Each structure stands twice: as C-alpha cells, then as structure tokens.
Amino acid sequence: GAVVSQHPSRVICKSGTSVKIECRSLDFQATTMFWYRQFPKQSLMLMATSNEGSKATYEQGVEKDKFLINHASLTLSTLTVTSAHPEDSSFYICSATIPGGGNNEQFFGPGTRLTVL
Amino acid sequence: EDQVTQSPEALRLQEGESSSLNCSYTVSGLRGLFWYRQDPGKGPEFLFTLYSAGEEKEKERLKATLTKKESFLHITAPKPEDSATYLCAVDSNYQLIWGAGTKLIIKP
C-alpha cells in the first residue's frame, strides 16, 4: 500500500518552455501532497504543500507563478514549471500522506529528472 | 531554531561490518522522527517512524532507536545492497525538518 507514482521520470526541454509533472497516489486518496526538489548530493528541499481543492502553500523563496501546483483530485497533483530555465534543472519529487493516518509519514514518488537546455 | 543534523556525511564499510548512523535534533515539538532510504535517482523509501524516547524498531538488518536528543540507525552485518543514502526527518509541530543524509557504501 501507499504507492505514489510520478510522470514523466525524465524530461528534457528547451529554455523558455513549460513542463508539467504529474504525481498520483495509486492505492489511497491523498488530501495533501508535497513537492520537493533535490540538487545533487543534497537533501530534500520542500517547495510547496498541495491541498486538494484549495491553493497550494509555498515555502519562502519559491515563486508560485513559476511553479504552478494544481491538486484537482484526491489522487492527482501536478507541478508545472513555467518558462523553464537551466537553473530549474533538478530532481523533483512528490510525496503524499495517508489521510487520517495520524502518523504523518510521507510516501514518495520515484522522482522526475528535469533538464533544461 | 529547529535543526536536524546527520553524521557522518559518508560512511564506507566492509560487508559484514556493523555500524551506526546518527541523527541529532533540536526541535520545539517532536511529533515523530522518520528514517528513509534513498537510492541514486529515486525517491526516498520509508523505513521507520519513532515517536518517543526509548522506542526501537527493526527491519531486517536495520534497527532504529530514539532518545530525547538523537536517533541512531544501527546496521548489522550489512550487505552491498544496503548501500544508499539514509535520510532522517523530524516532524516538529507538523513541519518536517530534514537532515542532509548519510551516504552509506558497503564494499563486498
């Protein structure tokens, strides 16, 4: 149980284009999902908390107009990197918690490697 | 300020050589401490949750323990497939504070 998937696993795009990453909870409904980015040899950096049916909560320093998050259903959250630039190249990972679990464990997707040329 | 520190940054062991990874924390309100394993190019895999000092949990060659200031992840007789980065995170008043991780390399 508690399986989270991400799509795509890898994406290469040109500078200035937008990229959408999907995060799905496969065997549970997730009212809350989280988006992280991770630079090489560094730990996870929380970007935003995505709540189903409401606006995402962004961490300080994360541009909400650049990283658009939509959590339209209980099993799907999307992150769109708008007008991507090479500095946006990173490993993006989503996670979800099981509602009502009370334990706050996060279950992670496999990640998406974004390379902006 | 809430802080989670993991040590060492990297640890190289021979297969079968037991050791421990440390996660020390200073937080205002501990709700739980989590251990994850992350393989290169993959998302973290959940291992354990610990809630209170004195608690221990085991899974195969891994055992996690918790005190009021730190947690240890003990690895007994490790195998090369245990090589990974081990991440610690602390839930402090519903916010997860992440450590930087310990990269564990087990040589055959």
Side-chain angles (χ1 to χ4, degrees):
Chain A
V3 178
V4 177
S5 71
Q6 274 182 251
H7 178 80
S9 57
R10 283 179 183 273
V11 57
I12 301 172
C13 69
K14 292 183 179 180
S15 186
T17 61
S18 294
V19 174
K20 181 185 282 189
I21 302 170
E22 293 185 349
C23 177
R24 293 182 186 271
S25 56
L26 296 185
D27 53 358
F28 65 103
Q29 293 183 327
T31 51
T32 303
M33 290 183 171
F34 304 87
W35 286 97
Y36 292 84
R37 67 187 296 182
Q38 187 175 34
F39 293 103
K41 299 183 180 180
Q42 293 189 24
S43 191
L44 304 170
M45 184 187 84
L46 180 65
M47 299 175 66
T49 301
S50 166
N51 297 296
E52 188 267 336
S54 64
K55 291 183 180 180
T57 303
Y58 289 82
E59 295 299 302
Q60 193 172 8
V62 177
E63 298 176 60
K64 60 182 179 182
D65 294 330
K66 179 164 186 64
F67 299 101
L68 299 177
I69 291 172
N70 184 283
H71 193 158
S73 79
L74 287 171
T75 58
L76 174 65
S77 176
T78 60
L79 168 68
T80 302
V81 183
T82 62
S83 187
H85 288 93
E87 57 266 30
D88 298 323
S89 298
S90 190
F91 191 52
Y92 292 87
I93 316 174
C94 72
S95 70
T97 54
I98 297 177
N103 297 334
N104 210 28
E105 292 112 345
Q106 293 184 20
F107 297 93
F108 287 83
T112 296
R113 172 75 58 194
L114 171 63
T115 303
V116 184
L117 303 176
Chain B
E1 182 185 340
D2 291 346
Q3 197 167 7
V4 176
T5 304
Q6 289 187 248
S7 61
E9 283 187 21
L11 181 61
R12 293 175 184 269
L13 301 172
Q14 287 294 137
E15 183 173 1
E17 182 183 359
S18 302
S19 188
S20 297
L21 314 182
N22 178 264
C23 172
S24 62
Y25 61 91
T26 307
V27 297
S28 52
L30 176 72
R31 294 191 65 250
L33 184 144
F34 308 94
W35 282 99
Y36 288 86
R37 168 196 170 124
Q38 185 176 24
D39 292 297
K42 296 189 178 180
E45 174 192 342
F46 172 74
L47 294 174
F48 303 109
T49 308
L50 301 167
Y51 294 104
S52 57
E55 188 174 1
E56 296 184 354
K57 289 197 175 167
E58 286 188 67
K59 180 180 179 180
E60 297 180 357
R61 294 177 291 282
L62 298 175
K63 183 168 88 171
T65 62
L66 181 65
T67 72
K68 289 186 177 180
K69 294 182 180 179
E70 60 193 347
S71 175
F72 290 95
L73 185 65
H74 307 276
I75 183 160
T76 303
K79 298 181 178 181
E81 54 262 41
D82 294 321
S83 297
T85 295
Y86 290 85
L87 297 169
C88 164
V90 173
D91 181 350
S92 174
N93 295 321
Y94 298 93
Q95 276 207 315
L96 268 193
I97 316 293
W98 289 89
T102 293
K103 183 174 182 178
L104 178 64
I105 299 170
I106 309 298
K107 295 178 286 186

